[in-house]
Amino acid sequence: MSWGTELWDQFDSLDKHTQWGIDFLERYAKFVKERIEIEQNYAKQLRNLVKKYCPKRSSKDEEPRFTSCVAFFNILNELNDYAGQREVVAEEMAHRVYGELMRYAHDLKTERKMHLQEGRKAQQYLDMCWKQMDNSKRKFERECREAEKAQQSYERLDNDTNATKADVEKAKQQLNLRTHMADENKNEYAAQLQNFNGEQHKHFYVVIPQIYKQLQEMDERRTVKLSECYRGFADSERKVIPIISKCLEGMILAAKSVDERRDSQMVVDSFKSGFEPPGDCPFEDYSQHIYRTISDGTISASKQESGKVDAKTTVGKAKGKLWLFGKKPKGPALEDFSHLPPEQRRKKLQQRIDELNRELQKESDQKEALNKMKDVYEKNPQMGDPGSLQPKLAETMNNIDRLRMEIHKNEAWLSEVEGKTGGRGDRRHSSDINHLVTQGRESPEGSYTDDANQEVRGPPEQHGHHNEFDDEFEDDDPLPAIGHCKAIYPFDGHNEGTLAMKEGEVLYIIEEDKGDGWTRARRQNGEEGYVPTSYIDVTLEKNSKGS
């Protein structure tokens, strides 16, 4: 089947068909381009999504690595790889399909234009031959009519008896002339007709079939190119399927790696304080204080009315300041981690000791290497000066001494924590409470509160040997009690102006906490002083009397 033999008279139709083929090729190229843009945008959005939900690693203290979190981070990594494969698909389509289509479409337009121009030239040449043959035919026809008229005129004069001999001879000459010219035009017409028939045969059996064959081959190559691009379009996707499958398998493995038991254990390891639960509260008998003198009751009542505070508010405030049952202190991190609960402090100290041991091992290895190098230099002076290594050796020794001191200091803190944790009974001892603060922040100089600004404070300052504080204690008329309190934890009270107390001891409240974390209290024997508000359970009673 050939276009040259089957479609010899469909030049215009073939012109339209080849143009449609190129338009279709360009339309498919536009489709591929839009698909590439979709893939690129999809990959970009996936990468932005991964970046948005990836963990921030700016802080040194990383969050606990729960298995569910690790699995999610692994899924994000796999999704990022998946986005990379979408970019590979877009690049492959752009290079193998879209770029090839655009180059081929340009070459196709040039080739089609050339073939159509050849066909039009052949048709124009055939039309020119036709016009030459038609002109010679018309001229021959005209000369034949003129020769026929000359013959009729000659016969009429020859039969006319009245015509002169000269007229007859003239008519005869005219007839011979016209007959000669008709014969020449006849020969010319025959030659032109033969030439046209030859050119026409050549046109429809040689030239046009050759041009149409080239157009047919061009159109078939276009169809084959489309088929190859279709295949390349699919291959671009199929090549990345194995890698995408690995990404999906990685996501499934990440999902299978989630271990709820391990996460629960990590919660325990991360937040376990090491404190023991509090024991039972003992019964407190306040009936022994109900026998008061009327005068004392009147005075204390009047003074209490002037300074009474809502008991529930005060008690709630005091209990809210206890670290064991409330929030952790907000102070800055301390070198010995005493701001942390015992269990967390022990872990942090152990981690620091391990890091220091690794650094010590590194410095020891460096020292050994420097000593070996020094020995080599001493045996072979031409290789180097042994004295040049002395500064580095001295620096390494200083680092080793410093690291050993740091390790010793941290091991002492660790031994303290382990000793306190192992020897704790049902209720916390005074050493447990004092252990919660670092040296220089021990009670009574500081008590933990929810307010970071009040976290490190001491009792009211003593201005000289004789001040308002001394006057209050030296006054013959003691302050009336506005309530009572029970010591939750023991307090040593070594500092001047403070009052020592034992766990469970009951004291009178003679002055409330002014916001500095200290409450003024009095024993039954009349001894007064300040105690940490966070160490006591306060109860303000309207009918409580002074001693």
Side-chain angles (χ1 to χ4, degrees):
M1 181 180 64
S2 174
W3 287 6
T5 57
E6 303 291 339
L7 303 176
W8 60 271
D9 58 344
Q10 298 296 323
F11 181 81
D12 294 336
S13 298
L14 292 178
D15 184 5
K16 294 179 181 179
H17 173 73
T18 51
Q19 182 61 43
W20 171 86
I22 294 176
D23 293 341
F24 182 79
L25 186 72
E26 291 179 339
R27 184 181 180 188
Y28 178 70
K30 185 178 180 181
F31 161 77
V32 174
K33 180 181 179 181
E34 293 181 0
R35 170 65 187 279
I36 292 171
E37 293 175 353
I38 290 174
E39 291 289 347
Q40 291 174 343
N41 292 333
Y42 179 47
K44 183 179 179 181
Q45 291 176 359
L46 285 179
R47 289 195 181 278
N48 291 336
L49 182 66
V50 171
K51 183 179 179 181
K52 178 180 179 181
Y53 287 94
C54 269
K56 304 296 185 298
R57 301 185 182 274
S58 58
S59 60
K60 295 181 179 179
D61 297 332
E62 297 184 358
E63 296 181 357
R65 303 292 289 180
F66 297 106
T67 57
S68 57
C69 297
V70 174
F72 178 61
F73 299 155
N74 291 336
I75 289 175
L76 289 178
N77 292 332
E78 296 294 345
L79 188 60
N80 190 58
D81 295 340
Y82 177 81
Q85 296 307 309
R86 303 319 308 178
E87 292 176 346
V88 171
V89 171
E91 293 175 359
E92 186 71 13
M93 287 183 179
H95 174 70
R96 183 177 176 182
V97 181
Y98 179 71
E100 187 66 23
L101 282 174
M102 296 306 296
R103 288 191 296 270
Y104 189 75
H106 180 267
D107 296 341
L108 207 62
K109 289 179 181 179
T110 304
E111 184 179 358
R112 172 181 175 275
K113 183 179 180 180
M114 181 184 65
H115 293 327
L116 292 179
Q117 286 178 352
E118 291 177 355
R120 291 190 181 95
K121 288 181 180 179
Q123 187 66 38
Q124 290 173 0
Y125 179 73
L126 184 64
D127 292 341
M128 183 187 67
C129 293
W130 163 261
K131 288 180 181 179
Q132 290 177 355
M133 184 273 295
D134 186 63
N135 291 333
S136 62
K137 176 183 177 182
R138 292 177 183 277
K139 190 175 181 181
F140 171 62
E141 182 181 6
R142 187 173 59 251
E143 291 298 331
C144 287
R145 285 196 300 268
E146 291 295 331
E148 185 178 356
K149 289 179 181 180
Q151 185 177 3
Q152 291 175 0
S153 177
Y154 170 72
E155 290 177 352
R156 186 178 67 252
L157 290 174
D158 187 39
N159 294 328
D160 189 3
T161 55
N162 297 323
T164 62
K165 186 178 180 180
D167 292 337
V168 174
E169 189 65 25
K170 184 178 179 181
K172 184 177 180 180
Q173 291 178 357
Q174 186 68 20
L175 175 62
N176 293 332
L177 178 62
R178 290 298 178 182
T179 302
H180 178 70
M181 292 182 66
D183 291 340
E184 288 183 353
N185 286 319
K186 178 180 179 181
N187 294 332
E188 179 68 19
Y189 169 62
Q192 292 294 335
L193 180 61
Q194 183 179 4
N195 180 63
F196 172 74
N197 289 334
E199 293 296 334
Q200 181 175 254
H201 184 274
K202 180 182 179 181
H203 177 80
F204 287 110
Y205 289 95
V206 179
V207 178
I208 288 299
Q210 183 66 26
I211 295 174
Y212 284 9
K213 180 181 180 182
Q214 293 174 351
L215 287 174
Q216 181 180 1
E217 292 176 351
M218 180 194 72
D219 191 70
E220 289 177 353
R221 290 198 308 272
R222 176 191 64 82
T223 306
V224 172
K225 178 59 69 174
L226 279 174
S227 176
E228 293 176 353
C229 291
Y230 294 160
R231 189 179 298 108
F233 185 84
D235 288 340
S236 300
E237 185 84 20
R238 186 173 60 182
K239 285 181 179 179
V240 301
I241 287 179
I243 303 178
I244 291 178
S245 299
K246 291 183 179 179
C247 294
L248 298 178
E249 290 175 2
M251 294 181 184
I252 294 175
L253 292 176
K256 292 180 179 179
S257 66
V258 176
D259 187 353
E260 66 279 6
R261 295 290 183 181
R262 184 178 176 186
D263 285 357
S264 298
Q265 184 61 39
M266 290 183 69
V267 173
V268 174
D269 296 339
S270 299
F271 303 115
K272 182 179 179 181
S273 65
F275 294 139
E276 294 292 338
D280 297 336
C281 294
F283 175 75
E284 303 175 22
D285 187 7
Y286 298 105
S287 60
Q288 56 182 340
H289 307 299
I290 63 176
Y291 300 104
R292 308 291 182 186
T293 61
I294 297 176
S295 59
D296 292 340
T298 305
I299 295 174
S300 62
S302 62
K303 292 185 178 181
Q304 183 181 0
E305 288 294 329
S306 63
K308 67 179 180 179
V309 184
D310 187 2
K312 294 182 180 180
T313 305
T314 307
V315 173
K317 179 179 178 182
K319 289 186 177 180
K321 295 179 181 180
L322 297 179
W323 180 15
L324 180 59
F325 306 106
K327 298 180 180 179
K328 294 182 179 180
K330 300 180 181 179
L334 303 174
E335 183 183 4
D336 61 349
F337 300 112
S338 59
H339 61 288
L340 298 176
E343 185 66 21
Q344 302 302 320
R345 184 186 182 193
R346 184 187 63 79
K347 292 181 179 179
K348 290 290 185 180
L349 289 172
Q350 188 62 53
Q351 291 177 0
R352 180 186 289 173
I353 291 172
D354 294 340
E355 293 177 359
L356 292 173
N357 284 326
R358 286 194 292 269
E359 294 181 10
L360 180 61
Q361 183 63 36
K362 188 184 299 183
E363 293 292 337
S364 299
D365 294 341
Q366 185 174 359
K367 174 188 174 184
E368 183 179 356
L370 290 172
N371 287 328
K372 290 182 179 179
M373 188 179 297
K374 183 179 179 181
D375 294 340
V376 172
Y377 286 174
E378 290 176 350
K379 295 178 181 179
N380 301 292
Q382 67 274 10
M383 297 183 65
D385 182 15
S388 61
L389 301 177
Q390 193 61 34
K392 189 66 176 176
L393 273 171
E395 181 182 356
T396 304
M397 291 298 296
N398 291 333
N399 292 337
I400 291 175
D401 294 339
R402 177 182 56 82
L403 290 173
R404 286 176 177 171
M405 292 178 61
E406 289 290 332
I407 292 173
H408 179 71
K409 180 171 61 174
N410 284 272
E411 286 178 347
W413 288 336
L414 182 60
S415 300
E416 179 187 358
V417 174
E418 292 176 346
K420 298 298 183 182
T421 305
R424 185 178 295 109
D426 294 337
R427 297 297 301 265
R428 291 170 45 183
H429 298 82
S430 60
S431 59
D432 294 316
I433 300 300
N434 294 332
H435 184 63
L436 297 178
V437 294
T438 184
Q439 300 173 0
R441 294 180 60 202
E442 294 182 354
S443 304
E445 284 78 358
S447 61
Y448 290 106
T449 66
D450 292 337
D451 187 359
N453 296 326
Q454 301 177 7
E455 190 170 324
V456 180
R457 291 195 180 178
E461 297 180 359
Q462 306 294 326
H463 299 284
H465 296 286
H466 185 76
N467 52 23
E468 297 178 0
F469 181 78
D470 295 332
D471 291 341
E472 292 178 1
F473 280 89
E474 292 174 1
D475 195 351
D476 295 335
D477 187 10
L479 294 175
I482 60 175
H484 65 275
C485 66
K486 180 183 177 182
I488 303 175
Y489 310 115
F491 177 60
D492 296 336
H494 294 309
N495 291 55
E496 184 179 0
T498 59
L499 181 63
M501 61 182 179
K502 298 180 181 179
E503 181 180 351
E505 183 178 358
V506 178
L507 306 173
Y508 296 115
I509 301 297
I510 59 176
E511 186 178 333
E512 294 183 77
D513 186 354
K514 302 300 184 182
D516 56 358
W518 294 88
T519 301
R520 191 172 176 182
R522 179 193 299 139
R523 281 201 180 90
Q524 295 183 13
N525 59 7
E527 185 180 359
E528 297 180 358
Y530 286 93
V531 295
T533 307
S534 58
Y535 282 29
I536 58 176
D537 185 4
V538 180
T539 303
L540 297 179
E541 297 180 1
K542 183 176 181 180
N543 297 325
S544 62
K545 303 291 189 294
S547 58

